[in-house]
């Protein structure tokens, strides 16, 4: 794969998610998301995180193609951006919707199944983001691989969170779930060895 | 009436700037991100970011109404008109909050008739344009509590549902009132596609017990903020029952029937464990998805200044309506 192309992709992997956050902010303060953009902001960040997770998992099957090996180096920035969006999604819910009412937040985190599932997913993504530092990667050695295999259960949790969060309808989360299942099926062998349990 | 300044988005973002932005985006191919799932309920957000931002200039016209003002504001501060017009649940036009404003402007409102029948001595058809001339139009400033745990304060204009129904002389068999929204897939994209319409079975139907319908707080609204309803708010005629969750307020009504048995209600049919027939605002009974103990107030503050307040039993109308339910287990009949 040409070095220049890789360089461009590497830049886009950072620029696009950052630029979309900027656009979201602009759209929200300019009233383009309606007079009351809380739900739109939360959904946009949530769906965005899900799409970034999907992209992160698309990388390694693509990198197996002849000459595309360097793509693997994009997994880390994509994964970190996925965590960033998921964290912003969570923060937007805490701050813009629940108005930082901690008693309410504590209750919701325990009582609502879709929120429990989403929060579990966020914790996993947080652990993966923390351990993506190169120094920690080296120190964890083999354990690092096992730990990072948690991205697969996390992707299924993310789909469940999306599905159960909808008041009605199931088609869109089902599409995401199918895409993730396809990406997981491409790694059947690896999964059999690397599953964390 | 106090004049509320009418801010158009062109006032905030100069047209040239956003056109330029869009060209920039198109040039970089970012529009594709929004196009990857074009029918998605969340596409509304992408529309907000990348296009369809001319809504302010393409709003269906709303006619000024003559009505008796509501002078007792009950200490409530009104939700700004632009928020009432741009934050709607009307799944017939899409599931995102901004979808109805974007997709409903073409709804054909004239002529519009409502058929009233069932257990009445004088069934009939009402022409809504005649209703608009009616001398009995009143303003009602009501709290509006959505089951999704947000709330507004809206100055509705309409007629008391009870007074409206009495013209048709309900019989002694009329124990409930059933309502139905327009079914017109050609005009309502959510009825054409399950994807757009959130998988609900249409037409939307709702119902009230007869004593609820006859209660003086129950309103058949034809307007808000002194003008006729916008399509996204349920023009030309919708139900407003301020002590119940917002989904009871069925929009764009074409049929009202007085019936003997409890009529079906759309959300109740879809998820009976989540949405009851009564749907009275009750902070003590949580929805499986949301705590109902408090609500996010939608007022004139910015998105970054979120405020919540404790939700009141019967949405603050307990002293007027609680007696309708005396002896009923409100945890069972939620």
């Amino acid at each position: 794969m040409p070095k220049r192309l890789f360089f461009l992709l590497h830049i886009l992997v950072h620029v696009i998610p950052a630029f979309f956050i900027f656009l979201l902010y602009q759209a929200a303060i300019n009233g383009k998301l309606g007079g009351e953009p809380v739900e739109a902001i939360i959904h946009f960040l949530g769906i965005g995180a899900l799409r970034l997770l999907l992209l992160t998992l698309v990388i390694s099957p693509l990198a197996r193609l002849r000459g595309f090996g360097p793509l693997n180096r994009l997994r880390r920035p994509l994964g970190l951006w996925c965590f960033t969006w998921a964290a912003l999604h969570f923060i937007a819910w805490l701050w813009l919707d629940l108005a930082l009412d901690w008693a309410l937040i504590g209750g919701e985190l325990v009582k609502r199944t879709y929120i429990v599932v989403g929060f579990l997913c966020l914790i996993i993504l947080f652990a993966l983001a923390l351990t993506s530092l190169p120094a920690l990667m080296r120190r964890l050695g083999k354990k690092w691989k096992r730990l990072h295999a948690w991205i697969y259960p996390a992707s299924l949790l993310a789909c469940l969170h999306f599905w159960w969060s909808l008041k009605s309808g199931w088609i869109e989360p089902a599409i995401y779930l199918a895409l993730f299942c396809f990406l997981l099926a491409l790694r059947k062998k690896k999964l059999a060895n690397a599953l964390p349990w | 009436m106090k004049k509320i300044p009418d801010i158009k988005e062109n006032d905030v973002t100069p047209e040239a700037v956003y056109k330029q932005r869009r060209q920039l985006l198109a040039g970089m191919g970012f529009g594709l991100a929004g196009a990857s799932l074009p029918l998605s309920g969340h596409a509304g957000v992408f529309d907000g970011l990348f296009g369809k931002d001319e809504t302010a200039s393409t709003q269906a016209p709303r006619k000024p109404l003559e009505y008796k003002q509501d002078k007792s504001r009950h200490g409530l501060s009104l939700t700004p008109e632009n928020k009432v017009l741009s934050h709607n649940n009307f799944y017939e036009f899409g599931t995102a909050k901004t979808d109805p404003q974007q997709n409903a402007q073409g709804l054909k409102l004239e002529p519009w008739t409502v058929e009233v029948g069932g257990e009445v001595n004088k069934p009939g058809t009402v022409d809504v344009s005649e209703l608009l001339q009616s001398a009995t139009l009143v303003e009602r400033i009501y709290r509006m509590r959505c089951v999704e745990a947000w709330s507004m304060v809206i100055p509705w204009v309409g007629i008391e549902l009870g007074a409206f129904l009495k013209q048709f002389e309900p019989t002694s068999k009329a124990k409930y009132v059933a309502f139905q929204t327009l079914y017109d897939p050609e005009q309502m994209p959510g009825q054409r596609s399950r994807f757009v319409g959130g998988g609900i079975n249409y037409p939307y139907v709702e119902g009230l017990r007869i004593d609820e319908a006859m209660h003086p707080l129950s309103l058949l609204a034809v307007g808000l903020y002194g003008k006729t309803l916008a399509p996204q708010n349920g023009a030309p005629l919708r139900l407003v029952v301020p002590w119940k969750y917002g989904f009871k307020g069925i929009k764009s009504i074409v049929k009202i029937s007085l019936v003997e048995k409890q009529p079906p209600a759309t959300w109740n049919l879809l998820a009976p464990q989540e949405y009851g027939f009564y749907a009275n605002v009750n902070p003590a009974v949580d929805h499986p998805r949301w705590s109902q103990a408090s609500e996010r107030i939608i007022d004139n503050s910015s998105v970054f200044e979120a405020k919540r307040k404790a939700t009141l039993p019967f949405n603050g109308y307990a002293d007027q309506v609680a007696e309708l339910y005396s002896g009923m287990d409100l945890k069972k009949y939620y």
Side-chain angles (χ1 to χ4, degrees):
Chain A
M1 148 178 227
K3 266 202 169 148
R4 274 194 159 169
L5 177 63
F6 177 77
F7 182 70
L8 182 71
L9 283 175
H10 200 167
I11 291 197
L12 287 180
V13 158
H14 286 290
V15 166
I16 294 177
F19 189 58
F20 269 78
I21 301 265
F22 168 74
L23 279 183
L24 178 67
Y25 175 76
Q26 286 292 316
I29 60 167
N30 290 332
K32 286 213 205 161
L33 303 179
E36 184 54 28
V38 174
E39 187 185 286
I41 292 172
I42 294 173
H43 286 181
F44 182 77
L45 291 167
I47 288 284
L50 197 62
R51 290 179 180 182
L52 283 163
L53 188 56
L54 206 56
L55 271 180
T56 311
L57 293 183
V58 162
I59 294 293
S60 57
L62 279 184
R64 269 188 251 154
L65 300 174
R66 187 188 292 268
F68 282 85
L71 279 181
N72 271 327
R73 278 155 55 202
L74 298 180
R75 272 190 310 184
R76 182 164 165 268
L78 275 172
L80 285 171
W81 273 111
C82 168
F83 167 69
T84 307
W85 277 60
L88 287 172
H89 169 66
F90 182 63
I91 290 167
W93 175 69
L94 295 182
W95 177 26
L96 308 182
D97 193 6
L98 299 194
L100 302 180
D101 177 341
W102 296 105
L104 176 64
I105 290 164
E108 296 295 89
L109 278 176
V110 182
K111 282 188 227 162
R112 317 283 162 222
T113 326
Y114 78 101
I115 291 174
V116 172
V117 168
F119 191 56
L120 277 177
C121 178
L122 183 68
I123 290 173
I124 295 174
L125 292 177
F126 179 57
L128 303 190
L130 267 186
T131 54
S132 69
L133 287 170
L136 273 175
M137 257 175 101
R138 275 192 299 275
R139 190 181 304 173
L140 285 166
K142 264 195 178 167
K143 278 190 212 148
W144 188 91
K145 265 208 151 158
R146 289 185 69 125
L147 178 65
H148 279 246
W150 276 93
I151 192 156
Y152 306 118
S155 63
L156 298 179
L157 287 175
C159 291
L160 267 189
H161 168 67
F162 181 24
W163 197 313
W164 289 345
S165 74
L166 292 183
K167 281 167 71 188
S168 66
W170 51 270
I171 302 172
E172 196 182 355
I175 291 171
Y176 279 97
L177 187 62
L179 290 171
F180 277 109
C181 286
F182 172 70
L183 290 173
L184 262 56
L186 291 177
R187 310 163 151 83
K188 253 190 311 195
K189 271 190 203 151
K190 189 183 154 207
L191 275 175
N193 301 325
L195 277 180
W197 45 83
Chain B
M1 285 226 22
K2 232 165 96 182
K3 264 262 174 192
I4 306 290
D6 196 5
I7 298 177
K8 291 184 178 144
E9 48 202 34
N10 314 22
D11 299 340
V12 185
T13 311
E15 192 180 343
V17 173
Y18 65 65
K19 284 212 167 128
Q20 217 177 353
R21 260 188 232 153
R22 263 189 289 164
Q23 276 166 6
L24 182 76
L25 287 171
M28 295 172 89
F30 289 168
L32 282 174
S36 59
L37 270 174
L39 288 172
S40 137
H42 304 276
V45 178
F46 290 100
D47 294 340
L49 294 176
F50 302 115
K52 286 198 197 170
D53 46 5
E54 296 88 355
T55 39
S57 56
T58 54
Q59 298 293 288
R62 294 167 55 212
K63 291 181 202 143
L65 292 168
E66 303 248 341
Y67 55 91
K68 195 167 146 249
Q69 279 185 32
D70 185 351
K71 297 231 168 71
S72 57
R73 286 219 170 174
H74 326 284
L76 299 170
S77 53
L78 300 182
T79 300
E81 190 174 7
N82 73 319
K83 293 195 183 184
V84 179
L85 295 175
S86 62
H87 188 262
N88 309 102
N89 276 323
F90 198 171
Y91 279 19
E92 281 84 342
F93 295 102
T95 56
K97 293 288 183 287
T98 47
D99 285 348
Q101 188 182 38
Q102 279 170 355
N103 301 331
Q105 300 310 321
L107 183 63
K108 193 167 173 264
L109 300 174
E110 284 173 22
W112 191 290
T113 52
V114 182
E115 190 192 324
V116 184
E119 300 294 344
V120 289
N121 288 326
K122 294 183 176 171
T125 304
V126 178
D127 188 330
V128 172
S129 63
E130 282 165 28
L131 206 61
L132 293 179
Q133 315 284 323
S134 151
T136 54
L137 289 184
V138 289
E139 181 184 43
R140 292 286 174 83
I141 295 170
Y142 282 158
R143 298 179 196 90
M144 145 98 175
R145 172 63 157 76
C146 179
V147 72
E148 296 165 350
W150 50 265
S151 66
M152 294 185 174
V153 176
I154 303 173
W156 300 105
V157 178
I159 59 170
E160 281 186 17
L161 176 61
F164 174 83
L165 292 176
K166 276 176 194 154
Q167 308 168 61
F168 304 93
E169 297 182 10
T171 69
S172 59
K173 279 187 175 172
K175 301 279 198 291
Y176 293 90
V177 187
F179 302 85
Q180 189 181 311
T181 296
L182 174 71
Y183 182 74
D184 187 350
E186 274 185 31
Q187 295 201 74
M188 296 177 151
Q191 294 178 341
R192 283 201 299 273
S193 147
R194 290 186 71 76
F195 207 29
V196 177
I200 285 182
N201 288 320
Y202 294 105
Y204 197 94
V205 289
E206 258 304 341
L208 294 174
R209 223 167 53 187
I210 190 79
D211 56 340
E212 298 175 322
M214 292 298 175
H215 193 281
L217 285 175
S218 295
L219 192 73
L220 263 185
V222 295
L224 56 83
Y225 267 104
K227 291 188 232 160
T228 50
L229 291 171
Q232 63 269 31
N233 297 104
L237 186 75
R238 65 166 291 167
L239 182 63
V240 178
V241 190
W243 70 93
K244 291 177 181 285
Y245 292 119
F247 68 87
K248 291 295 285 184
I250 183 170
K251 299 185 172 87
S252 305
I253 299 167
V254 292
K255 196 173 167 192
I256 300 176
S257 314
L258 288 101
V259 292
E260 201 174 356
K261 298 230 167 74
Q262 181 178 301
T266 292
W267 282 100
N268 177 240
L269 288 178
L270 189 81
Q273 69 289 358
E274 296 184 38
Y275 310 93
F277 173 78
Y278 286 94
N280 292 320
V281 175
N282 189 347
V285 177
D286 274 358
H287 184 277
R289 291 158 192 282
W290 306 279
S291 161
Q292 297 295 26
S294 68
E295 63 205 45
R296 183 163 51 80
I297 306 161
I298 299 183
D299 59 9
N300 55 6
S301 55
S302 97
V303 60
F304 301 111
E305 304 165 326
K307 274 180 275 180
R308 296 185 76 90
K309 66 168 183 128
T311 291
L312 300 167
F314 297 103
N315 204 22
Y317 301 96
D319 50 352
Q320 290 154 85
V321 300
E323 62 177 10
L324 295 177
Y325 310 99
S326 60
M328 275 175 73
D329 179 357
L330 296 176
K331 286 206 157 76
K332 189 177 167 204
Y333 298 102
Y334 51 90

